[in-house]
Amino acid sequence: MTNNSERRLPGGGYHIVADPAVFAATAAAFIGRKIATLIEHRDASIALSGGTTPGPVYAALAADPDLDWNKIDVYFADERIVPYDDPASNYRLVRETLLDSVQIPEGRVHPMPVEALELETAAEAYAETLPDRLDIIVLGLGTDGHTASLFPHSSALKSEQRVAVVEAPIEPRRRMTITPSVIAAAHLIVVLAQGASKTAALEQCLSDVRGVEDCPARLVRGGIWILGRDTVEGLAVRP
Ligand code: 6PG
């Protein structure tokens, strides 16, 4: 899958993509193959994150000829509490990079209800629409070790809800996010991280010095990580 060998993480695995020019295509090929295998037998459900890393991956995924988007439900791992057409909106990112380029029924697209007046009630309603177990959740890694919009020391890390409204320490501050129970139930977690700016967070995530409170991405150590070589190169302890 990549020009580097696959290695194992505790319970998961990771692929190092040596050439940044093929990171998006490599990640999209991996995710696309997982989805294609699922939809051979049944409909699939995926939840997508925002940020800068996944956009090119979603664009490459949109070009995957093996994916029948009539059989795929697209949910969101988190969302900023901004209008859907706001440049900071994850929905807008996914719409522009993926949804507008594939034939997907509108009923298969499930944006988080961030334009609702009662956000807490809307979050609970969204949680009801989520499958008990999502097939694939695509997550990123923040430089502070957050993933989705689960930030260090956030009360959402202990939430009984499956979807929470949170206050992030970075702009946009108000967000809606899936919580650890949704992540734990997923069949497959794919974490995308590239760039040297993520090395420290990855180090924290891999070491046993810090817990989930300090580094929420430790929740997904058991996932499949697709890492840029520049993220891994500076690691004190290579995975
Ligand atoms: C968001 C994302 C967030 C993201 C990380 C990494 O809404 O911002 O869901 O969790 O995955 O912040 O973002 P980058 O890919 O931009 O580094």
Side-chain angles (χ1 to χ4, degrees), residues 48-54 77-80 88 90 139-143 146-151 170 175 192 194 197-198:
L48 303 178
S49 289
T52 56
T53 305
D78 66 339
E79 183 57 281
R80 293 84 178 279
N90 291 344
L139 293 171
L141 174 66
T143 54
H146 79 262
T147 194
S149 283
L150 297 169
F151 288 84
I170 55 174
R175 302 181 181 213
L192 308 174
Q194 61 174 357
S197 67
K198 304 297 175 73

Side-chain angles (χ1 to χ4, degrees), residues 157-215:
L157 290 169
K158 294 188 171 66
S159 174
E160 295 291 313
Q161 305 295 330
R162 299 177 76 216
V163 178
V165 179
V166 298
E167 194 72 25
I170 55 174
E171 294 298 340
R173 288 183 180 271
R174 299 209 71 214
R175 302 181 181 213
M176 198 175 280
T177 183
I178 58 173
T179 62
S181 60
V182 174
I183 292 173
H187 288 291
L188 174 65
I189 299 287
V190 179
V191 189
L192 308 174
Q194 61 174 357
S197 67
K198 304 297 175 73
T199 302
L202 181 59
E203 187 94 68
Q204 267 206 358
C205 179
L206 296 177
S207 77
D208 290 328
V209 173
R210 302 277 191 180
V212 166
E213 276 292 308
D214 294 311
C215 183

Side-chain angles (χ1 to χ4, degrees), residues 40-102:
E40 281 173 12
H41 313 287
R42 61 175 173 81
D43 288 1
S45 59
I46 64 177
L48 303 178
S49 289
T52 56
T53 305
V57 178
Y58 300 154
L61 201 58
D64 188 325
D66 297 333
L67 298 182
D68 176 359
W69 292 88
N70 289 291
K71 301 184 72 175
I72 304 167
D73 278 291
V74 177
Y75 296 89
F76 288 78
D78 66 339
E79 183 57 281
R80 293 84 178 279
I81 310 290
V82 295
Y84 291 126
D85 61 358
D86 188 293
S89 166
N90 291 344
Y91 171 76
R92 175 171 165 174
L93 169 77
V94 174
R95 166 80 39 213
E96 290 178 346
T97 56
L98 173 62
L99 302 177
D100 283 348
S101 304
V102 298

Side-chain angles (χ1 to χ4, degrees), residues 15-18 23 193-195 226-233:
H15 301 275
I16 299 171
V17 182
F23 181 89
Q194 61 174 357
I226 301 178
L227 298 166
R229 183 175 60 184
D230 47 2
T231 306
V232 175
E233 257 172 359

